Amino acid sequence: VVAAAALVADVRLERTFRLRIDGKEVEITTGQELAVACAHADGKTHAITVSESPLQRFVRKGLQFTYPSACTVTFDEAGEELAVSVRHPEGPDLKLHRMPSEVDLRDSLARHAATLVTMLKTGGGSQIQESEVSAAIAGAAVPGRQISCLLLEEARVTEIYYFARAGRSIRVSMDYGVEQARQAQELFDAVAPTLALE
């Protein structure tokens, strides 16, 4: 039972990759060593091992960032827009939305926060509080809003930030339960400083 629980807790313990060496494709599993015959010297081999990086890189439509490898990433493209969701395995969800042009950042932030507060009120949220916050994103201090509430008997927090780079506006939002604050901070700390636009 203990072994089964350990496997469930770390499903990424072993991963298999295809590696091409001098035109020949081989499979290698993380944590295992593979001996590959040298293509340049008879009788010589090369020992190869591979491990999964704790951080992975997302690059699409000029939007780049790193994220923890345990997270799940999904994205949706529509014309020049790109929406990306990075979900931590323990619940926090960080969303990035690259818009096709620049918007009024202050107005967009205020309207987004007001819409969220209205949705929470009509959806049964209580103890709703809104405050101004700031976070380091892409090397700059970015103003934002934090909305906390009690929803379905769970204390939840949503943070929203708008900023502009390379002639486009970006929205970054993070949603998490209060008990997931540490995991949410880890996710934010991996993505926000590495966020870049081409």
Side-chain angles (χ1 to χ4, degrees):
V1 174
V2 174
L7 287 174
V8 170
D10 192 358
V11 295
R12 292 182 169 266
L13 185 60
E14 293 182 355
R15 305 205 53 196
T16 300
F17 297 90
R18 289 188 180 148
L19 183 65
R20 185 174 294 276
I21 304 171
D22 295 328
K24 181 181 177 186
E25 192 173 273
V26 293
E27 282 192 354
I28 184 167
T29 300
T30 55
Q32 296 179 357
E33 186 173 289
L34 174 69
V36 178
C38 181
H40 306 92
D42 287 339
K44 188 169 183 171
T45 61
H46 300 284
I48 298 170
T49 58
V50 65
S51 61
E52 184 175 8
S53 171
L55 292 175
Q56 299 298 311
R57 181 169 297 284
F58 179 91
V59 179
R60 189 140 189 113
K61 280 193 159 183
L63 180 66
Q64 300 181 44
F65 60 87
T66 61
Y67 63 93
S69 62
C71 295
T72 303
V73 176
T74 56
F75 64 91
D76 186 26
E77 298 175 272
E80 291 298 307
E81 293 188 64
L82 175 63
V84 183
S85 174
V86 184
R87 182 171 291 277
H88 191 283
E90 294 184 41
D93 191 19
L94 187 145
K95 293 183 178 178
L96 302 115
H97 181 196
R98 189 195 72 175
M99 295 166 239
S101 60
E102 286 194 45
V103 299
D104 183 318
L105 301 177
R106 184 173 292 190
D107 179 63
S108 295
L109 177 60
R111 285 188 295 113
H112 190 136
T115 300
L116 180 56
V117 167
T118 300
M119 288 173 57
L120 288 170
K121 285 179 180 176
T122 59
S126 63
Q127 300 177 27
I128 300 168
Q129 295 182 335
E130 182 180 346
S131 57
E132 293 185 2
V133 292
S134 178
I137 301 176
V142 177
R145 299 281 175 91
Q146 182 182 75
I147 294 118
S148 59
C149 71
L150 194 63
L151 186 63
L152 301 174
E153 298 182 16
E154 181 186 12
R156 297 206 58 83
V157 176
T158 299
E159 297 177 22
I160 311 159
Y161 304 92
Y162 278 77
F163 70 102
R165 288 287 187 281
R168 295 173 191 262
S169 293
I170 304 288
R171 180 179 68 231
V172 178
S173 62
M174 171 77 86
D175 182 61
Y176 56 96
V178 169
E179 74 284 354
Q180 303 162 343
R182 180 183 55 81
Q183 295 89 341
Q185 190 64 54
E186 289 171 1
L187 176 56
F188 194 85
D189 289 347
V191 175
T194 65
L195 192 60
L197 278 173
E198 292 180 352

